[in-house]
Amino acid sequence: MKTISACVCGLVLACLLVSQPALPAHAARPAGVIPVTTTIQAAINLANDGDTISIPEGTYNENLTISKNLTLIGPHPETATIQAVGNQRVITVSPGHNLTLQFLTITGGYSVDPGSYSGGGVYIKDGTLTVDHCMISYNRGNYGGGIFQEGTGGVVVQNGSQILGNAA
């Protein structure tokens, strides 16, 4: 009897699995937290609009390009640093997108954008940048060495964030 019951249960389960429509590979998933396992940019590329990128302790030598609404969060600004590679900007946010930075240090950026030479640390156009418990330091640009916001939107600096030692 146990063998027949097991066979019937297995058959029912198999029928249920086959009858369920598969989700397409590109199906949207709910906003979530994406951990950094290789590079921050790789996590950004995997993220959906509205996701949070969780950055572990360490110094990350990267130049980030963000073309979706995201939050980048580290454990503490003294233990999680995003530092520019070479003479480049640390973070560029594509027009019309919003970015929240939390518990991070952004440093070492230099804007070489031939259009504006602005925002060595963070450049954002027509979007809102929120800086929360962060340090934006030692970045350079002709305008807004640490942060440059162009067009509509704005910059919100809160909760003890520091913007210091930048040059414009």
Side-chain angles (χ1 to χ4, degrees):
M1 186 68 170
K2 289 182 181 181
T3 306
I4 294 173
S5 294
C7 289
V8 170
C9 287
L11 184 58
V12 169
L13 181 60
C15 289
L16 287 173
L17 290 174
V18 171
S19 67
Q20 296 298 316
L23 290 174
H26 63 280
R29 59 175 173 70
V33 177
I34 308 297
V36 171
T37 57
T38 55
T39 65
I40 299 170
Q41 188 65 58
I44 289 168
N45 294 346
L46 289 173
N48 287 332
D49 195 54
D51 279 351
T52 295
I53 307 297
S54 177
I55 302 169
E57 290 184 357
T59 298
Y60 299 84
N61 296 306
E62 297 189 54
N63 307 104
L64 306 176
T65 301
I66 299 172
S67 58
K68 51 192 100 173
N69 300 311
L70 290 178
T71 296
L72 303 182
I73 185 170
H76 193 280
E78 292 180 7
T79 62
T81 300
I82 307 172
Q83 181 171 308
V85 175
N87 285 328
Q88 297 181 46
R89 182 181 292 131
V90 183
I91 301 173
T92 302
V93 182
S94 298
H97 294 95
N98 302 316
L99 175 64
T100 298
L101 300 173
Q102 295 180 312
F103 301 101
L104 295 166
T105 292
I106 308 299
T107 191
Y110 176 63
S111 177
V112 294
D113 178 5
S116 65
Y117 298 103
S118 301
V122 181
Y123 175 87
I124 187 165
K125 181 175 183 179
D126 296 327
T128 299
L129 173 67
T130 302
V131 180
D132 183 16
H133 291 95
C134 289
M135 181 175 294
I136 311 290
S137 60
Y138 306 106
N139 299 285
R140 299 179 292 148
N142 285 356
Y143 303 97
I147 298 171
F148 189 82
Q149 195 279 332
E150 182 177 354
T152 61
V155 176
V156 177
V157 179
Q158 60 191 19
N159 296 323
S161 292
Q162 297 180 24
I163 301 175
L164 55 93
N166 299 289

Short mmCIF file of all heavy atoms in Angstrom, two decimals, residues 89-91 93 99 101 106-107 109 111 117-125 127-132 134-150 154-158 161-168:
data_model
loop_
_atom_site.label_atom_id
_atom_site.label_comp_id
_atom_site.label_asym_id
_atom_site.label_seq_id
_atom_site.Cartn_x
_atom_site.Cartn_y
_atom_site.Cartn_z
N ARG A 89 35.81 60.12 -12.31
CA ARG A 89 34.75 60.35 -11.33
C ARG A 89 34.43 59.03 -10.62
O ARG A 89 34.49 57.97 -11.23
CB ARG A 89 33.54 60.88 -12.07
CG ARG A 89 32.35 61.22 -11.20
CD ARG A 89 31.18 61.72 -12.01
NE ARG A 89 31.46 63.02 -12.59
CZ ARG A 89 31.26 63.31 -13.88
NH1 ARG A 89 30.76 62.42 -14.70
NH2 ARG A 89 31.54 64.51 -14.32
N VAL A 90 34.04 59.10 -9.35
CA VAL A 90 33.68 57.90 -8.61
C VAL A 90 32.31 57.38 -9.07
O VAL A 90 32.18 56.21 -9.43
CB VAL A 90 33.69 58.13 -7.08
CG1 VAL A 90 33.37 56.82 -6.34
CG2 VAL A 90 35.02 58.69 -6.61
N ILE A 91 31.29 58.24 -9.05
CA ILE A 91 29.92 57.81 -9.38
C ILE A 91 29.29 58.78 -10.37
O ILE A 91 29.24 59.98 -10.12
CB ILE A 91 29.03 57.72 -8.13
CG1 ILE A 91 29.61 56.74 -7.11
CG2 ILE A 91 27.60 57.32 -8.51
CD1 ILE A 91 28.87 56.73 -5.78
N VAL A 93 25.59 59.28 -12.21
CA VAL A 93 24.19 58.85 -12.24
C VAL A 93 23.55 59.39 -13.51
O VAL A 93 23.58 60.59 -13.77
CB VAL A 93 23.42 59.35 -10.99
CG1 VAL A 93 21.99 58.85 -11.01
CG2 VAL A 93 24.14 58.92 -9.71
N LEU A 99 19.64 58.43 -6.46
CA LEU A 99 20.60 57.58 -5.77
C LEU A 99 20.63 57.95 -4.29
O LEU A 99 20.66 59.13 -3.95
CB LEU A 99 22.00 57.76 -6.37
CG LEU A 99 23.15 57.02 -5.67
CD1 LEU A 99 22.95 55.51 -5.77
CD2 LEU A 99 24.48 57.43 -6.27
N LEU A 101 23.00 57.14 -0.94
CA LEU A 101 24.24 56.59 -0.41
C LEU A 101 24.11 56.53 1.10
O LEU A 101 23.76 57.53 1.72
CB LEU A 101 25.43 57.47 -0.80
CG LEU A 101 25.69 57.65 -2.29
CD1 LEU A 101 26.78 58.69 -2.51
CD2 LEU A 101 26.07 56.33 -2.93
N ILE A 106 33.15 58.12 -0.16
CA ILE A 106 33.38 58.30 -1.61
C ILE A 106 34.60 59.20 -1.72
O ILE A 106 34.58 60.35 -1.26
CB ILE A 106 32.16 58.97 -2.28
CG1 ILE A 106 30.85 58.23 -1.96
CG2 ILE A 106 32.39 59.13 -3.79
CD1 ILE A 106 30.80 56.80 -2.42
N THR A 107 35.67 58.73 -2.36
CA THR A 107 36.92 59.49 -2.35
C THR A 107 37.75 59.27 -3.61
O THR A 107 37.56 58.30 -4.34
CB THR A 107 37.75 59.13 -1.09
OG1 THR A 107 38.82 60.05 -0.95
CG2 THR A 107 38.29 57.71 -1.15
N GLY A 109 38.02 60.90 -6.46
CA GLY A 109 37.50 61.14 -7.81
C GLY A 109 38.03 62.42 -8.42
O GLY A 109 38.35 63.39 -7.73
N SER A 111 36.98 64.69 -11.93
CA SER A 111 36.11 64.79 -13.09
C SER A 111 36.89 65.21 -14.33
O SER A 111 37.50 66.27 -14.36
CB SER A 111 34.99 65.79 -12.83
OG SER A 111 34.21 65.90 -13.99
N TYR A 117 33.48 68.93 -16.53
CA TYR A 117 34.54 68.78 -15.52
C TYR A 117 33.99 69.02 -14.11
O TYR A 117 34.59 69.69 -13.31
CB TYR A 117 35.71 69.74 -15.80
CG TYR A 117 36.38 69.48 -17.11
CD1 TYR A 117 36.14 70.29 -18.21
CD2 TYR A 117 37.24 68.41 -17.26
CE1 TYR A 117 36.76 70.04 -19.43
CE2 TYR A 117 37.86 68.15 -18.47
CZ TYR A 117 37.61 68.97 -19.55
OH TYR A 117 38.21 68.72 -20.74
N SER A 118 32.84 68.45 -13.82
CA SER A 118 32.15 68.70 -12.56
C SER A 118 31.91 67.40 -11.80
O SER A 118 31.74 66.34 -12.40
CB SER A 118 30.80 69.37 -12.82
OG SER A 118 30.98 70.57 -13.51
N GLY A 119 31.84 67.52 -10.48
CA GLY A 119 31.48 66.40 -9.63
C GLY A 119 32.47 65.26 -9.66
O GLY A 119 32.19 64.20 -10.20
N GLY A 120 33.63 65.45 -9.06
CA GLY A 120 34.63 64.39 -9.01
C GLY A 120 34.17 63.19 -8.21
O GLY A 120 34.50 62.05 -8.51
N GLY A 121 33.40 63.43 -7.12
CA GLY A 121 32.88 62.33 -6.31
C GLY A 121 31.62 61.75 -6.90
O GLY A 121 31.56 60.56 -7.21
N VAL A 122 30.59 62.60 -7.04
CA VAL A 122 29.30 62.15 -7.58
C VAL A 122 28.77 63.21 -8.53
O VAL A 122 28.74 64.40 -8.20
CB VAL A 122 28.25 61.92 -6.46
CG1 VAL A 122 26.93 61.44 -7.05
CG2 VAL A 122 28.76 60.95 -5.40
N TYR A 123 28.33 62.77 -9.71
CA TYR A 123 27.67 63.64 -10.67
C TYR A 123 26.27 63.09 -10.90
O TYR A 123 26.10 61.90 -11.20
CB TYR A 123 28.44 63.67 -11.99
CG TYR A 123 27.73 64.47 -13.07
CD1 TYR A 123 27.91 65.84 -13.18
CD2 TYR A 123 26.87 63.85 -13.97
CE1 TYR A 123 27.26 66.58 -14.15
CE2 TYR A 123 26.21 64.57 -14.95
CZ TYR A 123 26.41 65.93 -15.04
OH TYR A 123 25.75 66.66 -16.00
N ILE A 124 25.27 63.94 -10.74
CA ILE A 124 23.88 63.53 -10.95
C ILE A 124 23.16 64.63 -11.71
O ILE A 124 23.34 65.82 -11.42
CB ILE A 124 23.19 63.18 -9.61
CG1 ILE A 124 21.80 62.60 -9.84
CG2 ILE A 124 23.19 64.36 -8.67
CD1 ILE A 124 21.22 61.91 -8.61
N LYS A 125 22.36 64.24 -12.70
CA LYS A 125 21.61 65.21 -13.50
C LYS A 125 20.13 64.84 -13.47
O LYS A 125 19.77 63.69 -13.73
CB LYS A 125 22.12 65.22 -14.94
CG LYS A 125 21.39 66.22 -15.81
CD LYS A 125 21.98 66.30 -17.20
CE LYS A 125 21.25 67.35 -18.00
NZ LYS A 125 21.81 67.48 -19.35
N GLY A 127 18.01 64.40 -11.11
CA GLY A 127 17.64 63.37 -10.15
C GLY A 127 18.02 63.85 -8.76
O GLY A 127 18.64 64.90 -8.59
N THR A 128 17.67 63.07 -7.75
CA THR A 128 17.95 63.43 -6.36
C THR A 128 19.01 62.50 -5.79
O THR A 128 18.93 61.29 -5.94
CB THR A 128 16.67 63.36 -5.52
OG1 THR A 128 15.72 64.29 -6.04
CG2 THR A 128 16.95 63.70 -4.06
N LEU A 129 19.98 63.10 -5.13
CA LEU A 129 21.01 62.37 -4.42
C LEU A 129 20.76 62.56 -2.93
O LEU A 129 20.67 63.68 -2.45
CB LEU A 129 22.40 62.89 -4.78
CG LEU A 129 23.56 62.31 -3.97
CD1 LEU A 129 23.74 60.83 -4.27
CD2 LEU A 129 24.84 63.09 -4.26
N THR A 130 20.65 61.45 -2.20
CA THR A 130 20.54 61.50 -0.75
C THR A 130 21.80 60.90 -0.16
O THR A 130 22.17 59.78 -0.50
CB THR A 130 19.30 60.72 -0.25
OG1 THR A 130 18.13 61.27 -0.87
CG2 THR A 130 19.17 60.79 1.26
N VAL A 131 22.47 61.67 0.70
CA VAL A 131 23.71 61.26 1.34
C VAL A 131 23.42 61.12 2.83
O VAL A 131 23.12 62.10 3.50
CB VAL A 131 24.83 62.30 1.08
CG1 VAL A 131 26.13 61.87 1.72
CG2 VAL A 131 25.01 62.54 -0.42
N ASP A 132 23.50 59.88 3.34
CA ASP A 132 23.08 59.57 4.69
C ASP A 132 24.20 58.82 5.42
O ASP A 132 24.59 57.73 4.98
CB ASP A 132 21.81 58.71 4.60
CG ASP A 132 21.22 58.36 5.95
OD1 ASP A 132 21.55 59.00 6.95
OD2 ASP A 132 20.39 57.42 5.97
N CYS A 134 27.42 59.42 5.50
CA CYS A 134 28.52 59.19 4.56
C CYS A 134 29.60 60.26 4.70
O CYS A 134 29.39 61.31 5.30
CB CYS A 134 28.00 59.25 3.12
SG CYS A 134 27.00 57.85 2.64
N MET A 135 30.74 59.96 4.09
CA MET A 135 31.81 60.94 3.96
C MET A 135 32.16 61.04 2.47
O MET A 135 32.45 60.03 1.83
CB MET A 135 33.05 60.54 4.75
CG MET A 135 34.15 61.58 4.64
SD MET A 135 35.57 61.21 5.67
CE MET A 135 34.83 61.36 7.28
N ILE A 136 32.06 62.26 1.94
CA ILE A 136 32.44 62.53 0.55
C ILE A 136 33.69 63.40 0.67
O ILE A 136 33.61 64.57 1.06
CB ILE A 136 31.34 63.29 -0.22
CG1 ILE A 136 29.97 62.63 -0.04
CG2 ILE A 136 31.71 63.47 -1.68
CD1 ILE A 136 29.78 61.31 -0.71
N SER A 137 34.86 62.83 0.36
CA SER A 137 36.10 63.56 0.66
C SER A 137 37.17 63.36 -0.40
O SER A 137 37.24 62.32 -1.05
CB SER A 137 36.63 63.10 2.03
OG SER A 137 36.91 61.72 2.01
N TYR A 138 37.98 64.41 -0.54
CA TYR A 138 39.18 64.40 -1.39
C TYR A 138 38.91 64.03 -2.83
O TYR A 138 39.60 63.20 -3.42
CB TYR A 138 40.27 63.53 -0.75
CG TYR A 138 40.54 63.97 0.67
CD1 TYR A 138 40.11 63.21 1.74
CD2 TYR A 138 41.16 65.20 0.92
CE1 TYR A 138 40.30 63.63 3.05
CE2 TYR A 138 41.36 65.64 2.22
CZ TYR A 138 40.93 64.85 3.28
OH TYR A 138 41.12 65.29 4.57
N ASN A 139 37.89 64.69 -3.40
CA ASN A 139 37.56 64.58 -4.81
C ASN A 139 37.83 65.93 -5.46
O ASN A 139 37.85 66.95 -4.78
CB ASN A 139 36.08 64.20 -4.98
CG ASN A 139 35.75 62.88 -4.34
OD1 ASN A 139 36.09 61.83 -4.85
ND2 ASN A 139 35.10 62.92 -3.18
N ARG A 140 38.02 65.95 -6.80
CA ARG A 140 38.32 67.19 -7.50
C ARG A 140 37.46 67.33 -8.76
O ARG A 140 37.12 66.35 -9.40
CB ARG A 140 39.78 67.23 -7.94
CG ARG A 140 40.77 67.16 -6.83
CD ARG A 140 42.20 67.18 -7.35
NE ARG A 140 42.47 65.93 -8.09
CZ ARG A 140 43.29 65.85 -9.13
NH1 ARG A 140 43.91 66.90 -9.60
NH2 ARG A 140 43.50 64.69 -9.73
N GLY A 141 37.16 68.57 -9.09
CA GLY A 141 36.46 68.91 -10.32
C GLY A 141 36.44 70.41 -10.46
O GLY A 141 36.63 71.13 -9.47
N ASN A 142 36.24 70.92 -11.65
CA ASN A 142 36.18 72.38 -11.82
C ASN A 142 35.01 72.98 -11.06
O ASN A 142 35.09 74.11 -10.59
CB ASN A 142 36.10 72.76 -13.30
CG ASN A 142 37.43 72.60 -14.00
OD1 ASN A 142 38.44 72.28 -13.37
ND2 ASN A 142 37.43 72.79 -15.30
N TYR A 143 33.92 72.24 -10.96
CA TYR A 143 32.74 72.68 -10.22
C TYR A 143 32.29 71.51 -9.36
O TYR A 143 32.27 70.38 -9.83
CB TYR A 143 31.60 73.09 -11.16
CG TYR A 143 31.98 74.16 -12.12
CD1 TYR A 143 32.38 73.86 -13.41
CD2 TYR A 143 31.97 75.51 -11.74
CE1 TYR A 143 32.75 74.85 -14.31
CE2 TYR A 143 32.34 76.50 -12.62
CZ TYR A 143 32.73 76.16 -13.90
OH TYR A 143 33.11 77.15 -14.77
N GLY A 144 31.91 71.77 -8.12
CA GLY A 144 31.40 70.72 -7.25
C GLY A 144 32.36 69.55 -7.13
O GLY A 144 32.05 68.45 -7.58
N GLY A 145 33.51 69.79 -6.56
CA GLY A 145 34.53 68.74 -6.45
C GLY A 145 33.99 67.46 -5.84
O GLY A 145 34.26 66.37 -6.33
N GLY A 146 33.21 67.55 -4.76
CA GLY A 146 32.66 66.36 -4.12
C GLY A 146 31.38 65.89 -4.78
O GLY A 146 31.22 64.71 -5.09
N ILE A 147 30.44 66.82 -4.98
CA ILE A 147 29.12 66.49 -5.56
C ILE A 147 28.74 67.61 -6.52
O ILE A 147 28.87 68.79 -6.20
CB ILE A 147 28.03 66.39 -4.48
CG1 ILE A 147 28.34 65.27 -3.49
CG2 ILE A 147 26.66 66.19 -5.11
CD1 ILE A 147 27.42 65.25 -2.28
N PHE A 148 28.22 67.23 -7.69
CA PHE A 148 27.66 68.21 -8.60
C PHE A 148 26.31 67.69 -9.07
O PHE A 148 26.21 66.59 -9.61
CB PHE A 148 28.57 68.44 -9.81
CG PHE A 148 28.12 69.60 -10.66
CD1 PHE A 148 28.45 70.90 -10.31
CD2 PHE A 148 27.35 69.39 -11.79
CE1 PHE A 148 28.02 71.98 -11.08
CE2 PHE A 148 26.93 70.45 -12.57
CZ PHE A 148 27.26 71.75 -12.21
N GLN A 149 25.27 68.49 -8.80
CA GLN A 149 23.92 68.17 -9.23
C GLN A 149 23.51 69.18 -10.27
O GLN A 149 23.58 70.38 -10.04
CB GLN A 149 22.97 68.19 -8.02
CG GLN A 149 21.63 67.53 -8.25
CD GLN A 149 20.63 68.40 -8.99
OE1 GLN A 149 20.67 69.62 -8.93
NE2 GLN A 149 19.74 67.76 -9.71
N GLU A 150 23.07 68.70 -11.44
CA GLU A 150 22.70 69.57 -12.54
C GLU A 150 21.23 69.37 -12.88
O GLU A 150 20.72 68.26 -12.82
CB GLU A 150 23.57 69.21 -13.76
CG GLU A 150 23.32 70.06 -14.97
CD GLU A 150 24.25 69.72 -16.13
OE1 GLU A 150 25.16 68.90 -15.97
OE2 GLU A 150 24.02 70.27 -17.20
N GLY A 154 17.77 67.42 -6.65
CA GLY A 154 18.44 68.06 -5.54
C GLY A 154 19.37 67.12 -4.83
O GLY A 154 19.49 65.95 -5.17
N VAL A 155 20.03 67.67 -3.81
CA VAL A 155 20.95 66.90 -2.98
C VAL A 155 20.51 67.06 -1.54
O VAL A 155 20.31 68.18 -1.06
CB VAL A 155 22.41 67.39 -3.15
CG1 VAL A 155 23.33 66.64 -2.20
CG2 VAL A 155 22.87 67.22 -4.60
N VAL A 156 20.34 65.95 -0.84
CA VAL A 156 19.98 65.94 0.57
C VAL A 156 21.14 65.33 1.33
O VAL A 156 21.52 64.18 1.06
CB VAL A 156 18.69 65.12 0.82
CG1 VAL A 156 18.37 65.06 2.30
CG2 VAL A 156 17.53 65.67 0.01
N VAL A 157 21.73 66.10 2.24
CA VAL A 157 22.83 65.61 3.07
C VAL A 157 22.30 65.56 4.50
O VAL A 157 21.86 66.57 5.03
CB VAL A 157 24.06 66.54 2.96
CG1 VAL A 157 25.19 66.04 3.85
CG2 VAL A 157 24.52 66.65 1.51
N GLN A 158 22.35 64.37 5.12
CA GLN A 158 21.71 64.22 6.43
C GLN A 158 22.48 63.28 7.34
O GLN A 158 23.38 62.58 6.91
CB GLN A 158 20.28 63.72 6.24
CG GLN A 158 20.17 62.38 5.55
CD GLN A 158 18.75 62.02 5.15
OE1 GLN A 158 17.88 62.88 5.07
NE2 GLN A 158 18.51 60.75 4.90
N SER A 161 26.46 63.30 7.83
CA SER A 161 27.32 63.13 6.64
C SER A 161 28.28 64.30 6.56
O SER A 161 27.94 65.43 6.95
CB SER A 161 26.47 63.06 5.37
OG SER A 161 25.71 61.88 5.36
N GLN A 162 29.47 64.04 6.05
CA GLN A 162 30.47 65.09 5.92
C GLN A 162 30.93 65.18 4.47
O GLN A 162 31.20 64.16 3.83
CB GLN A 162 31.67 64.78 6.81
CG GLN A 162 31.33 64.76 8.28
CD GLN A 162 32.55 64.46 9.13
OE1 GLN A 162 33.69 64.68 8.72
NE2 GLN A 162 32.31 63.94 10.31
N ILE A 163 31.03 66.41 4.00
CA ILE A 163 31.58 66.67 2.67
C ILE A 163 32.76 67.59 2.93
O ILE A 163 32.58 68.77 3.25
CB ILE A 163 30.52 67.31 1.74
CG1 ILE A 163 29.33 66.37 1.63
CG2 ILE A 163 31.12 67.62 0.38
CD1 ILE A 163 28.16 66.91 0.86
N LEU A 164 33.98 67.03 2.81
CA LEU A 164 35.15 67.81 3.20
C LEU A 164 36.39 67.46 2.39
O LEU A 164 36.49 66.37 1.84
CB LEU A 164 35.43 67.63 4.69
CG LEU A 164 35.60 66.21 5.21
CD1 LEU A 164 37.05 65.80 5.20
CD2 LEU A 164 35.03 66.11 6.60
N GLY A 165 37.28 68.42 2.30
CA GLY A 165 38.55 68.23 1.62
C GLY A 165 38.45 68.08 0.12
O GLY A 165 39.39 67.66 -0.53
N ASN A 166 37.30 68.42 -0.46
CA ASN A 166 37.12 68.36 -1.91
C ASN A 166 37.60 69.67 -2.53
O ASN A 166 37.62 70.70 -1.84
CB ASN A 166 35.65 68.12 -2.24
CG ASN A 166 35.14 66.82 -1.68
OD1 ASN A 166 35.52 65.75 -2.15
ND2 ASN A 166 34.30 66.89 -0.66
N ALA A 167 38.00 69.65 -3.78
CA ALA A 167 38.51 70.85 -4.43
C ALA A 167 37.75 71.12 -5.72
O ALA A 167 37.52 70.22 -6.51
CB ALA A 167 40.00 70.69 -4.73
N ALA A 168 37.39 72.39 -5.89
CA ALA A 168 36.73 72.81 -7.13
C ALA A 168 37.31 74.14 -7.57
O ALA A 168 37.82 74.90 -6.79
CB ALA A 168 35.24 72.96 -6.92
#
